Amino acid sequence: MEYPAWQTPPFSRIELREYDTEVVVLDTGSGNTLALDPIAAAVLSWLSQGPQNHDRLMAQISHSFDIPADDSLRSYLESLLDSLQQQNLIQPTSE
Amino acid sequence: MKLSELTRQALAQALRREGIGLSIGPFSVRLRSRIGYVADSLHRLYADYPLADDHQFHDFHIAVERPRGIRHVISPQALFLVDGEPPFKPLPLNQAYPFFEWGLNWCVAQYAHQFLILHAAVVERDGIAAILPGSPGAGKSTLCASLVARGWRLLSDEMALIPRVTERLVPIPRPVALKNDSIDILKHFAPEQVFGDSFHDTAKGTVAHMKPPAESIRRAGEPAPPRLLIFPRFAKDTEMKLEPLSRGRSFLKAVEYSFNYDFLGADGFRRMDRLISACDCYDFNYPSLEAGLDGLTRLWERTLAAETAP
């Protein structure tokens, strides 16, 4: 299965603050402030620096959080990307 | 010069003619009014406020006056004007003073974007400022008034002002607005305090104001470091419960109580971060004024002990 690459919307900027196990994020594009778990916040931060595809994100999560890059991580990532897209925080680069 | 140096008659005359300038925290307010209720309440509740120089810049030019036209003969009304324009419909004449207080709140929330503003009471004791954000009915003003009556410094019963360059809270001490049952509760709890008239049948029910302590007015130029962010909720028939709240959740909750967080964008985010990082945060349910005071006093003692521990 071929996955699209993802990016944050143009002109959108992400600000992050970490508090223990929570991360609060401001998306300056939408003006939304929301709390994310650390993995979601890291993914959003990476995407705000440039487009990345699914496999690359898998590898980065696995490396940064010491999690095996298996099917459960793949499933988690798909669900996370879907959730971030629904909140207009990211978009596929192919669109 | 303080307002108390004017007699009631001299104050009423000045309000009728050129108006008076009041220094209220970081703001200078120019107020005119020909309405006796306004002069009466100001004379009692603003006695300790410094009068601003006639020639200085005023942040807000406010008038509380009777509307023009014949209607006021049948049904006397008061109109709140800022820069000569009425942002609201008139209210009954006998509500002219609370109209001034509500209108001034609106002016600050609407225009003072040099501050991140939270809808919150703020009190301070021994260098520990506690912020109590709350929706109407949460009991923040009642708690605030009782703490102030027990010696805490009043920074505000309505607004936490967070400036741009520091998290230190800027005081804007004003008469504490009490509503309905809390008026008699406070009069019984702190009979030594000065209270203004009760105004009945307002949009908020019966309202009355407690005069702020002279010491809080005198120290209105001294910002205070925030250490406690407490979300109070009054609920009869419950146990008192003080629960630590994570900073992430506190951040989102505080945003809900801000008047202008969205307006300030990334700057508001950074100010909120500084505030949250400086505070221990709690949800606080309390069933009575005594329980509320007791819980907050013990929390303050713990915080002070931690701050001063070697």
Side-chain angles (χ1 to χ4, degrees), chain B residues 11-286:
Chain B
L11 173 63
Q13 195 171 53
L15 283 167
R16 270 200 308 275
R17 290 179 178 169
E18 69 281 9
I20 60 164
L22 281 170
S23 289
I24 304 176
F27 304 111
S28 173
V29 177
R30 188 89 192 155
L31 173 63
R32 294 182 64 195
S33 182
R34 293 181 185 84
I35 298 172
Y37 295 118
V38 175
D40 289 341
S41 292
L42 281 180
H43 197 248
R44 189 184 304 178
L45 298 170
Y46 278 78
D48 299 311
Y49 283 75
L51 293 174
D53 193 305
D54 275 352
H55 306 293
Q56 81 174 70
F57 173 82
H58 297 292
D59 298 277
F60 306 117
H61 289 259
I62 291 171
V64 184
E65 300 290 14
R66 294 165 192 260
R68 290 182 183 168
I70 197 70
R71 183 192 162 106
H72 74 85
V73 177
I74 302 157
S75 174
Q77 290 183 315
L79 199 56
F80 178 90
L81 301 144
V82 57
D83 292 334
E85 295 294 327
F88 312 108
K89 290 180 178 170
L91 290 179
L93 185 67
N94 62 4
Q95 295 177 24
Y97 172 70
F99 204 4
F100 162 66
E101 293 290 349
W102 297 327
L104 182 53
N105 287 343
W106 179 85
C107 287
V108 174
Q110 195 74 14
Y111 297 115
H113 298 308
Q114 65 270 44
F115 299 107
L116 171 64
I117 306 173
L118 302 189
H119 188 200
V122 188
V123 289
E124 179 260 348
R125 189 170 171 186
D126 289 342
I128 292 172
I131 305 169
L132 307 166
S135 305
K140 68 178 165 48
S141 289
T142 313
L143 266 183
C144 171
S146 60
L147 288 165
V148 166
R150 290 293 179 267
W152 289 60
R153 173 158 74 113
L154 174 70
L155 274 78
S156 174
D157 84 312
E158 190 68 20
M159 293 176 180
L161 301 182
I162 301 135
R164 186 167 193 188
V165 293
T166 163
E167 79 280 8
R168 291 172 80 88
L169 302 161
V170 173
I172 174 174
R174 310 234 319 265
V176 181
L178 300 167
K179 294 193 291 278
N180 302 315
D181 291 348
S182 63
I183 299 168
D184 282 338
I185 290 172
L186 252 297
K187 283 182 176 176
H188 179 73
F189 176 79
E192 74 286 358
Q193 298 295 315
V194 174
F195 295 87
D197 292 332
S198 289
F199 301 95
H200 305 285
D201 302 321
T202 78
K204 301 177 180 212
T206 300
V207 298
H209 295 79
M210 189 179 97
K211 185 184 176 204
E215 179 69 359
S216 297
I217 308 300
R218 191 185 67 76
R219 296 179 60 196
E222 295 177 29
R227 290 291 176 266
L228 295 168
L229 178 62
I230 303 158
F231 297 92
R233 196 172 73 86
F234 171 74
K236 261 184 188 170
D237 308 322
T238 57
E239 293 283 301
M240 185 179 79
K241 201 158 68 173
L242 183 69
E243 284 187 315
L245 193 63
S246 72
R247 287 203 164 92
R249 288 182 60 198
S250 301
F251 193 119
L252 297 185
K253 218 167 165 176
V255 165
E256 289 173 25
Y257 290 104
S258 174
F259 289 115
N260 61 349
Y261 172 84
D262 288 337
F263 179 85
L264 294 175
D267 184 38
F269 180 83
R270 290 175 204 134
R271 293 194 213 193
M272 192 68 89
D273 168 54
R274 280 204 308 268
L275 179 75
I276 296 289
S277 300
C279 290
D280 293 332
C281 309
Y282 296 88
D283 265 335
F284 183 46
N285 291 352
Y286 66 100

Side-chain angles (χ1 to χ4, degrees), chain A residues 26-44:
Chain A
L26 171 71
D27 170 36
T28 59
S30 66
N32 288 337
T33 301
L34 59 160
L36 297 176
D37 67 60
I39 297 178
V43 167
L44 192 58

